[in-house]
Amino acid sequence: LRVFDVAELALLYTERFIFDGLIGFGSERGIPTDIDGIVREENGYSLLEIKEKDVSKREPVGFGMDVRRIKQLKGICRRTSMPLEVVIRQIKDQTSRDFMQYMRIDFYDFYKQTNNTPEIEGGHGMRSEKSRNPTQICPFMHFSVFK
């Protein structure tokens, strides 16, 4: 690890300790929080959930998230009282994965737009192709371009 900056390693370790160790394992056994980043802003700190996605193939056209992950993020926001931004690295398709743009939405806006909407079977992503992946879609129009 000598080739890495000590300050960057300390920051990474601190983030993982707080979110995976203190919050994740302490209250939800076996489910680490997997927060992708913490950003310092004028009014305090914000959490980041970063996803690489293409738009859904069927209506509503937008970006989806696993129902289980939505519940986890809602719990994290409730326990930390910190705002959370969902950042999407939009790609053209799953084959070429050509970058298009970054999109963003406040997590509570995402939750509001997906709450009580029909679940669809999402893509398999990092999980087994034989497992279920209930997903809810937030329509594209609720996202803004992230510059």
Side-chain angles (χ1 to χ4, degrees):
L1 296 175
R2 286 183 216 156
V3 297
F4 298 103
D5 180 65
V6 173
E8 289 294 319
L9 288 174
L11 176 64
L12 179 64
Y13 174 77
T14 303
E15 286 180 357
R16 299 293 23 119
F17 174 73
I18 290 170
F19 286 96
D20 293 337
L22 298 179
I23 296 172
F25 292 125
S27 60
E28 294 183 36
R29 184 172 177 257
I31 302 174
T33 57
D34 188 29
I35 291 296
D36 296 312
I38 304 171
V39 178
R40 184 172 183 166
E41 299 179 319
E42 291 179 19
N43 300 333
Y45 293 92
S46 290
L47 306 175
L48 295 179
E49 174 73 0
I50 303 169
K51 301 286 187 192
E52 182 176 78
K53 297 187 170 285
D54 56 340
V55 293
S56 56
K57 310 299 183 274
R58 53 188 173 226
E59 293 295 327
V61 174
F63 299 110
M65 190 180 298
D66 301 354
V67 171
R68 181 175 176 215
R69 184 64 180 150
I70 293 170
K71 290 177 184 174
Q72 289 173 354
L73 292 174
K74 188 176 175 199
I76 291 167
C77 290
R78 186 182 68 250
R79 288 190 301 264
T80 63
S81 300
M82 295 172 75
L84 186 139
E85 289 286 325
V86 177
V87 177
I88 304 292
R89 182 182 189 273
Q90 185 183 358
I91 56 174
K92 182 178 177 181
D93 56 59
Q94 291 293 317
T95 305
S96 71
R97 303 193 80 78
D98 292 335
F99 172 73
M100 295 180 66
Q101 63 187 347
Y102 283 101
M103 304 292 292
R104 63 162 293 281
I105 188 170
D106 176 81
F107 172 73
Y108 281 112
D109 290 340
F110 184 96
Y111 178 76
K112 183 171 74 173
Q113 296 303 323
T114 58
N115 193 28
N116 297 319
T117 61
E119 295 177 4
I120 65 163
E121 186 59 33
H124 59 82
M126 302 288 286
R127 68 178 176 83
S128 164
E129 290 185 32
K130 295 178 182 178
S131 61
R132 285 198 67 245
N133 192 27
T135 300
Q136 289 178 299
I137 305 293
C138 181
F140 188 82
M141 67 183 181
H142 297 291
F143 290 81
S144 60
V145 175
F146 186 61
K147 298 176 184 179

